[in-house]
Structure formats: C-alpha cells, structure tokens
C-alpha cells in the first residue's frame, strides 16, 4: 500500500458489515434512549402471537438451539440462536421491522438487550410458553433434517452422485481450517444473493463447523421454498470422507 487513500480503499473492500450499519451514524449523532427507558416486551398468548404474525413487516426470530429448532419451529421463523444474535441479526432482519421472539419459554432479557443495542427496538413480544404452547393450541409447525458429520462422510463415499454440499464458512475459516473439495462456498451473510445457485432437486447439506449457523441458513432457505436442505452437525475433526476430502491451503 503506497498511500493513505489506497489503504482506506483496501480496508473498505475487505471489511464486511451488515446493512443496519448504514443507520448507525444517525443513531450515534441523535442518541438512543437508555435501555431502562424502553417498555419491556410482553409475553403473548398463542392467539396474540398469531395475530401479530400476519403483518408483512413482522419477523419471527427463534432463539433456541439448533437441535430444538430442527425438531419443531413456527413456519416462517428464522433460526438465530441467542449466542449468534449480535453477529447475525443485522444481516437478515431489516431495520425498523416488527420482531416476535420464540424462546424456551422464559423472558428473553439478554436477547432484548442485544436487539435494542443494535437498533432493533420494535419488539412486539415473545411467545408465552414457547413452542410447547404453540403445539398445545393445535398450531402447525415445521422441522429441518439434520445429519452428523460421520454419517454424511459415509453417505458421500457410498453415493457420490446424489448430493450437494453448501459450505457457509467465511474465507478466513476456509483458509485456516481447509476447504471441502467440491463444496459450494457461500458465506452465510451472502446467502440471500445466491439462492439461484443452489439446487432444489437433490439433498443439500449445509456445513458451518457446528450446526448453529447452518440452521440459520436452513431456516432462510426453507422460507424461500427449499425442501431438501439438511444441516450438518459437527466439525472438521470428524470429517473422514475419502471421496470428498479436506484440502488445506
């Protein structure tokens, strides 16, 4: 880098930031209310939650872990486990959107703090009793298939033609941990721009190294009409496929 301007341009190209950052400057200048001054979102009965869902600008965020979401979730919801909320909510929820939360049943205090601090202050409430109350009210739910790393590797070696692997790790992770040969690499934050590159006529296995981010991707794809996605649970330590090995850079 030979000049300040070239450095700024280079860094600008390297750094990736979510869309809500565009609103951060104004928020920092005008100031946001203190968290204590916000009205606390209330628990909603299933009937109230269902009514709130009907608005087009309402988004349902499911904060539960990947296994719970895979087993059963509210149709149209997006899986963003609590630990990933600060990092990923800004990529998939528009600023100003109305938000409904699904938890294990308790008050989502930590999630609400994260949302307020990133500019999401239109939280309508959370589902009273969690997914259990949803089922007890006779409401329909959806599920997402999962597969462990070792079972996937066995499948890849025995049925080499009937699969598609989507690796949603970042470029830094690929460089540090290695790439899966023949996998399609699309970082999770860029998935919305690449749905047309993904097949819908064969099993599609989503890999991230644990399953947390993969479940977010799977939920987004389900909301786009995909039905053959499967979330891979586990990391590269257990990866032992001979037909689809790891390539270290």
């Amino acid at each position: 880098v030979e000049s300040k301007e070239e450095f700024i341009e280079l860094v600008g190209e390297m750094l990736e930031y979510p869309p809500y950052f565009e609103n951060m400057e104004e928020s920092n200048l005008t100031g946001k209310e203190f968290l204590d001054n916000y009205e606390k979102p209330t628990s909603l009965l299933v009937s109230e939650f269902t009514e709130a869902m009907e608005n087009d600008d309402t988004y349902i965020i499911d904060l539960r872990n990947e296994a719970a979401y895979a087993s059963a979730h509210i149709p149209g919801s997006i899986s963003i486990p609590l630990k990933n909320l600060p990092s990923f909510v800004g990529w998939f929820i528009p600023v100003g959107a109305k938000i409904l939360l699904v938890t294990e049943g308790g008050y989502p205090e930590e999630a609400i703090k994260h949302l307020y601090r990133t500019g999401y202050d239109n939280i309508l409430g959370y589902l009273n009793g969690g997914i259990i109350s949803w089922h007890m009210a006779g409401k329909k739910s959806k599920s997402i298939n999962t597969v462990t790393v070792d079972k996937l590797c066995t499948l890849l070696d025995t049925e080499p033609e009937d699969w598609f692997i989507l690796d949603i790790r970042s470029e830094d992770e690929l460089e540090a941990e290695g790439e899966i040969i023949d996998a399609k690499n699309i970082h999770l934050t860029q998935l919305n721009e690449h749905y047309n590159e993904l097949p819908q006529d064969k099993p599609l296995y989503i890999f991230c190294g644990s399953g947390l981010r993969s479940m977010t991707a799977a939920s987004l794809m389900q909301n786009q009409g995909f039905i053959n996605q499967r979330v891979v649970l586990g990391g590269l330590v257990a990866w032992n496929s001979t037909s689809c090995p790891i390539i270290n850079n």
Side-chain angles (χ1 to χ4, degrees), residues 23-35 37-38 116-121:
N23 299 301
M24 292 299 288
E25 182 177 359
E26 180 181 354
S27 296
N28 290 334
L29 291 173
T30 59
K32 281 283 189 179
E33 292 186 54
F34 291 108
L35 293 179
N37 294 333
Y38 280 109
Y116 281 161
R117 286 169 178 165
T118 47
Y120 295 92
D121 52 13

Side-chain angles (χ1 to χ4, degrees), residues 25-213:
E25 182 177 359
E26 180 181 354
S27 296
N28 290 334
L29 291 173
T30 59
K32 281 283 189 179
E33 292 186 54
F34 291 108
L35 293 179
D36 291 341
N37 294 333
Y38 280 109
E39 182 178 349
K40 289 187 176 181
T42 60
S43 62
L44 301 174
L45 299 175
V46 172
S47 59
E48 297 172 320
F49 195 94
T50 303
E51 182 178 356
M53 286 172 54
E54 296 176 356
N55 296 320
D56 292 337
D57 59 346
T58 298
Y59 288 75
I60 306 169
I61 301 177
D62 194 315
L63 301 166
R64 298 174 300 150
N65 64 48
E66 71 278 21
Y69 187 88
S71 177
H73 57 266
I74 296 174
S77 62
I78 300 174
S79 171
I80 309 182
L82 178 59
K83 65 183 296 183
N84 285 356
L85 189 64
S87 300
F88 293 107
V89 66
W91 288 102
F92 308 117
I93 308 297
V95 174
K98 298 174 183 176
I99 294 175
L100 292 168
L101 300 174
V102 178
T103 69
E104 295 291 351
Y107 182 73
E109 182 173 1
E110 186 176 352
I112 290 170
K113 287 182 179 179
H114 286 317
L115 290 169
Y116 281 161
R117 286 169 178 165
T118 47
Y120 295 92
D121 52 13
N122 198 358
I123 306 172
L124 303 181
Y126 64 100
L127 181 60
N128 187 346
I131 198 70
I132 294 177
S133 66
W134 184 260
H135 287 150
M136 290 180 65
K139 296 293 185 179
K140 294 182 179 180
S141 63
K142 289 189 174 182
S143 60
I144 289 177
N145 291 325
T146 62
V147 61
T148 59
V149 167
D150 59 325
K151 289 185 177 180
L152 175 60
C153 288
T154 299
L155 178 65
L156 297 179
D157 293 338
T158 56
E159 301 179 28
E161 301 298 327
D162 192 29
W163 50 263
F164 184 96
I165 300 177
L166 172 62
D167 190 336
I168 60 170
R169 292 176 298 157
S170 67
E171 290 292 335
D172 288 343
E173 289 175 288
L174 295 175
E175 184 174 346
E177 302 167 358
E179 298 183 34
I180 302 171
I181 192 170
D182 294 331
K184 177 72 172 180
N185 300 122
I186 302 175
H187 190 220
L188 174 59
T189 60
Q190 303 301 315
L191 185 60
N192 286 336
E193 303 172 11
H194 297 277
Y195 289 127
N196 62 337
E197 301 174 22
L198 305 176
Q200 298 200 40
D201 59 349
K202 63 174 62 178
L204 190 156
Y205 298 95
I206 310 172
F207 182 83
C208 72
S210 66
L212 286 175
R213 288 174 293 171

